[in-house]
């Protein structure tokens, strides 16, 4: 067991007064020989993503007891990206990943817990929990709160992105305000995380592939009964994993991370997966870097037709066979490693034995490997004089992945959005939003509002948007984020001026400004580091210690 803890299994909880504290919360004499299991509960009514979690936590808590463990429930925070999007509050979104990780680590290590069952819903719940799980390396399992079912309007499937795009459609005169209100009222029908292959559903899939959640659990709908059954089963499996001493770092290997990258390419996952996988792998001590994404992208096609750039939502993927079906197709094609293990102690090959070799014929969500939507993955890693450390371009659904045009420079998301809604952005422009990186934002806001407005105005194929910030999993079009080094630390994105010619070339993995090295150095001499925007509090602390996005924007990087 971990040196920090006095295991309830092997040694029993220490004698009085420690035991008296546990008696007060319900322990009896016989309970002191049982494993103590933390239930990290992300329940909150802040967001529909998390409002159904307490029911799952209570089911899991009961199942832990029945399986021979002693649960100790504690809360973790969440913030709603959908509510804070486009505001100053969005700066706290990525920061919340670190707060979640720190809180789970703190509670589990302070109380010498033997294992942890983490339950989350909104985007940062998943990577936050996984970072903590990797740090502690005690037997762990993750329960995803589940995806939301699609909203409906006149037979059309809606998601949260539909509302953001409607704003752009209104500004360009494509719809009236009545239609905007109808979309707003119908796009989110109830509990669950955003319904497309956005960040939450992407990261739940990553955790399933890494073997730290149960097969099929990452695509279940939040409001369906099978999600409760899965929560109960997860608790049983965790108690068994504690007895067998199956630990996260037994499962988080280089090969399992490569498997996860392969799956997110196949399903058309969020750009945020790059940032979060790098962060989790860094914490786990696994040598995964940004170039691994490009190497895997060249081999793995996109075989799932999912929103935001495709037709279907995550419940459709679940009904078509879910992540296990995708994995079986990739396994048969030699694109994932079948020897990696999961929390049940099974190899991938063993767990997929009963999964059909071909997707069901009565669906068009998952395609055969020889009939993909795109022959290569959709998350391209670009490099050049604007991003020497790399950046991430999402090119699914983009007919022309190459654009060269004059820069339109904005120092914040708000200024950019105002210009878009005033119809000041024209076809052929390269929109640049800078000083929104991990340090400069701080917090690396997601640019869903500007990108959705661009798409809503019909410019998605005609304009590129580049930033040192991030994008929502709901973003699509020719967008490039995570530019590193960022503007706030003197990256070349800080030196470009209005009208400079920029090339975004996802075919040749290139992003550059048409300026000589001499001109860039001349401009650098006149560049001044921005004054920190926050002097106290969590954003100030974060901006002082956060790493570059090319390393996952982590806050515990080894010196």
């Amino acid at each position: 067991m971990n040196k920090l803890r006095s295991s309830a299994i092997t040694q029993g909880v220490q004698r009085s007064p420690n035991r008296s504290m546990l008696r007060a919360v319900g322990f009896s004499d016989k309970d002191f020989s049982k494993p103590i299991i933390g239930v990290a509960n992300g329940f909150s009514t802040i967001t529909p993503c998390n409002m159904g979690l307490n029911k799952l936590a209570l089911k899991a808590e009961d199942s832990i007891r029945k399986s021979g463990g002693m649960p100790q429930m504690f809360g973790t925070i969440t913030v709603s990206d959908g509510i804070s999007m486009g505001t100053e509050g969005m700066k706290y979104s990525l920061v919340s990943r670190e707060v979640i990780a720190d809180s789970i680590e703190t509670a589990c290590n302070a109380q010498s817990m033997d294992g942890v069952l983490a339950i989350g819903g909104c985007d940062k719940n998943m990577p936050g929990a996984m970072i903590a799980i990797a740090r502690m390396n005690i037997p762990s399992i993750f329960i995803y709160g589940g995806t939301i079912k699609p909203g409906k309007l006149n037979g059309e499937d809606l998601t949260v992105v539909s509302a953001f795009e409607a704003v752009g459609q209104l500004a360009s005169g494509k719809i009236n305000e009545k239609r905007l209100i109808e979309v707003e009222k119908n796009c989110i029908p109830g509990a669950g995380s955003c319904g497309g292959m956005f960040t939450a559903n992407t990261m739940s899939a990553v955790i399933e592939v890494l073997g730290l959640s149960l097969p099929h659990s990452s695509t279940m709908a939040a409001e369906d009964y099978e999600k409760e059954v899965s929560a109960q089963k997860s608790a049983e499996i965790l108690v068994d994993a504690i007895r067998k001493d199956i630990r996260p770092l037994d499962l988080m290997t280089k090969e399992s991370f490569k498997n996860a990258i392969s799956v997110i390419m196949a399903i058309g996952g969020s750009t945020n997966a790059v940032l979060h996988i790098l962060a989790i792998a860094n914490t786990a001590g696994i040598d995964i870097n940004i170039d691994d994404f490009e190497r895997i992208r060249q081999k793995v096609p996109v075989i799932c037709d999912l929103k935001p750039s495709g037709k279907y939502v995550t419940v459709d993927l679940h009904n078509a066979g879910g992540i296990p079906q995708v994995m079986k197709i990739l396994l048969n094609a030699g694109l994932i490693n079948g020897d990696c293990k999961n929390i049940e102690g099974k190899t991938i090959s063993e767990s997929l034995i009963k999964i059909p070799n071909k997707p069901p014929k009565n669906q068009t969500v998952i395609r055969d490997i020889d009939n993909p939507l795109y022959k290569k993955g959709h998350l391209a890693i670009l490099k050049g004089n604007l991003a020497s450390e790399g950046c991430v371009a999402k090119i699914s659904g983009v007919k022309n992945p190459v654009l060269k045009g004059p820069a339109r420079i904005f120092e914040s998301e708000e200024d950019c959005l105002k210009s878009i809604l005033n119809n000041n952005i024209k076809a052929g422009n390269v929109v640049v939003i800078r000083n929104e990186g991990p340090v400069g934002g701080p917090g690396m806001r997601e640019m869903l509002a500007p990108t959705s407005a661009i798409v809503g105005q019909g410019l998605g194929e005609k304009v590129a948007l580049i930033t040192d910030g991030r994008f929502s999993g709901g973003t699509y079009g020719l967008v490039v984020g995570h530019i590193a080094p960022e503007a706030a630390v003197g990256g070349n994105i800080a030196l470009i001026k209005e009208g400079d010619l920029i090339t975004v070339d996802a075919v040749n993995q290139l992003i550059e400004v048409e300026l000589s090295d001499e001109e860039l150095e001349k401009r650098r001499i006149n560049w001044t580091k921005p004054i920190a925007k926050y002097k106290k509090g969590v954003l100030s602390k974060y901006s002082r210690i956060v790493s570059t996005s090319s390393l996952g924007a982590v806050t515990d990087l080894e010196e």
Side-chain angles (χ1 to χ4, degrees):
M1 287 290 173
N2 191 303
K3 292 179 180 178
L4 285 174
R5 49 188 40 81
S6 175
S7 170
I9 300 175
T10 58
Q11 299 175 34
V13 177
Q14 292 178 0
R15 295 289 176 181
S16 181
N18 306 68
R19 286 164 60 118
S20 61
M21 298 294 289
L22 292 171
R23 289 186 191 280
V25 298
F27 277 60
S28 64
D29 288 343
K30 62 183 179 180
D31 294 329
F32 290 106
S33 62
K34 298 175 182 177
I36 297 176
I37 299 172
V39 179
N41 182 3
F43 167 70
S44 169
T45 57
I46 285 175
T47 170
C49 309
N50 289 46
M51 70 187 212
L53 297 187
N54 203 47
K55 178 171 62 175
L56 300 181
L58 293 172
K59 293 284 186 182
E61 183 182 50
D62 183 60
S63 185
I64 288 171
R65 284 196 180 92
K66 289 177 178 176
S67 301
M70 283 303 293
Q72 288 195 304
M73 191 181 298
F74 59 93
T76 66
I77 67 149
T78 196
V79 297
S80 171
D81 292 359
I83 295 171
S84 63
M85 197 73 70
T87 73
E88 282 283 300
M90 189 64 197
K91 294 180 178 181
Y92 289 87
S93 172
L94 187 58
V95 176
S96 77
R97 184 188 76 180
E98 311 307 305
V99 176
I100 292 165
D102 292 350
S103 69
I104 294 174
E105 176 195 359
T106 299
C108 290
N109 279 347
Q111 304 310 130
S112 299
M113 293 176 185
D114 298 297
V116 64
L117 182 149
I119 306 177
C122 202
D123 293 4
K124 307 311 173 295
N125 296 182
M126 274 73 71
M130 293 299 286
I131 289 170
I133 284 167
R135 286 178 189 169
M136 298 183 299
N137 197 31
I138 58 175
S140 308
I141 199 165
F142 185 83
I143 297 175
Y144 179 42
T147 186
I148 200 169
K149 293 181 178 180
K152 298 284 186 179
L153 183 60
N154 301 326
E156 177 187 355
D157 281 352
L158 301 179
T159 69
V160 65
V161 177
S162 305
F164 284 91
E165 290 181 3
V167 173
Q169 292 165 350
L170 178 69
S172 61
K174 292 186 175 183
I175 63 172
N176 58 27
E177 191 161 349
K178 181 184 178 202
R179 167 71 182 188
L180 172 63
I181 297 300
E182 287 177 340
V183 171
E184 176 201 317
K185 287 182 175 179
N186 290 280
C187 65
I188 301 177
S193 298
C194 299
M197 192 45 65
F198 309 149
T199 302
N201 288 322
T202 299
M203 292 311 300
S204 68
V206 166
I207 296 172
E208 182 175 323
V209 178
L210 289 175
L212 283 154
S213 63
L214 297 187
H216 294 285
S217 66
S218 68
T219 52
M220 292 175 178
E223 297 179 327
D224 285 353
Y225 177 66
E226 66 176 343
K227 177 51 68 177
E228 297 179 37
V229 175
S230 178
Q232 293 172 315
K233 181 66 174 177
S234 297
E236 295 172 13
I237 294 296
L238 176 59
V239 174
D240 191 52
I242 292 172
R243 294 191 181 108
K244 294 177 179 175
D245 198 24
I246 298 174
R247 296 175 180 249
L249 297 187
D250 298 332
L251 311 179
M252 291 183 183
T253 64
K254 180 155 188 172
E255 289 303 313
S256 69
F257 276 103
K258 288 165 64 177
N259 285 350
I261 296 170
S262 295
V263 169
I264 65 164
M265 294 296 178
I267 63 178
S270 165
T271 53
N272 284 312
V274 178
L275 194 75
H276 297 324
I277 287 175
L278 288 171
I280 298 164
N282 174 74
T283 303
I286 304 299
D287 181 22
I288 291 290
N289 62 57
I290 197 167
D291 295 324
D292 290 313
F293 288 83
E294 183 60 35
R295 282 191 285 270
I296 292 170
R297 182 184 83 86
Q298 295 290 337
K299 300 176 183 178
V300 180
V302 180
I303 60 173
C304 294
D305 190 5
L306 295 167
K307 288 181 181 293
S309 58
K311 297 178 184 177
Y312 299 102
V313 293
T314 303
V315 290
D316 298 319
L317 173 62
H318 185 67
N319 293 333
I323 297 303
Q325 182 64 78
V326 174
M327 292 176 70
K328 185 63 173 279
I329 293 168
L330 296 180
L331 179 67
N332 289 342
L335 294 172
I336 62 173
N337 187 318
D339 294 331
C340 297
K341 291 188 175 182
N342 64 21
I343 190 66
E344 297 179 86
K346 297 178 181 178
T347 65
I348 283 177
S349 296
E350 290 169 344
S351 67
L352 296 177
I353 285 176
K354 295 182 180 180
I355 303 299
N357 291 320
K358 297 276 189 178
K361 291 184 178 180
N362 62 347
Q363 59 81 46
T364 54
V365 185
I366 307 173
R367 296 195 181 189
D368 289 324
I369 197 77
D370 54 1
N371 182 34
L373 270 78
Y374 310 104
K375 293 181 180 179
K376 294 181 180 180
H378 65 301
L379 299 179
I381 304 302
L382 312 186
K383 290 189 175 182
N385 67 359
L386 273 182
S388 60
E389 293 178 15
C391 56
V392 185
K394 188 175 187 180
I395 58 175
S396 52
V398 176
K399 295 175 183 176
N400 181 17
V402 180
L403 192 147
K404 179 178 180 179
R408 297 296 315 278
I409 308 292
F410 300 95
E411 304 297 341
S412 72
E413 178 186 6
E414 289 86 350
D415 289 345
C416 178
L417 182 60
K418 186 184 301 182
S419 183
I420 295 168
L421 295 180
N422 286 334
N423 297 306
N424 293 330
I425 301 301
K426 308 300 180 185
N429 288 167
V430 177
V431 177
V432 180
I433 307 178
R434 64 190 179 193
N435 291 305
E436 289 283 7
V439 175
M444 213 177 176
R445 285 193 291 182
E446 293 180 348
M447 306 293 142
L448 179 59
T451 57
S452 296
I454 286 170
V455 170
Q457 290 188 352
L459 293 171
E461 294 289 341
K462 303 169 185 175
V463 168
L465 190 152
I466 71 173
T467 180
D468 51 9
R470 296 183 295 132
F471 293 112
S472 162
T475 295
Y476 62 102
L478 188 55
V479 295
V480 183
H482 310 193
I483 287 178
E486 62 173 290
V489 299
N492 285 348
I493 188 174
L495 308 179
I496 54 180
K497 298 178 180 178
E498 190 84 6
D500 285 344
L501 285 178
I502 294 175
T503 298
V504 178
D505 185 347
V507 175
N508 295 299
Q509 295 86 57
L510 180 68
I511 182 167
E512 65 179 9
V513 58
E514 283 195 7
L515 296 172
S516 66
D517 292 343
E518 291 76 16
E519 175 61 22
L520 286 168
E521 284 308 309
K522 187 188 302 182
R523 293 186 184 185
R524 189 178 304 282
I525 293 171
N526 297 319
W527 175 77
T528 303
K529 183 180 176 70
I531 298 171
K533 297 173 184 174
Y534 299 88
K535 305 300 183 185
K536 292 183 180 295
V538 67
L539 293 181
S540 173
K541 185 193 308 181
Y542 180 87
S543 68
R544 292 195 301 270
I545 62 176
V546 67
S547 79
T548 175
S549 60
S550 64
L551 296 176
V554 293
T555 56
D556 59 352
L557 197 65
E558 291 185 16
E559 294 293 335

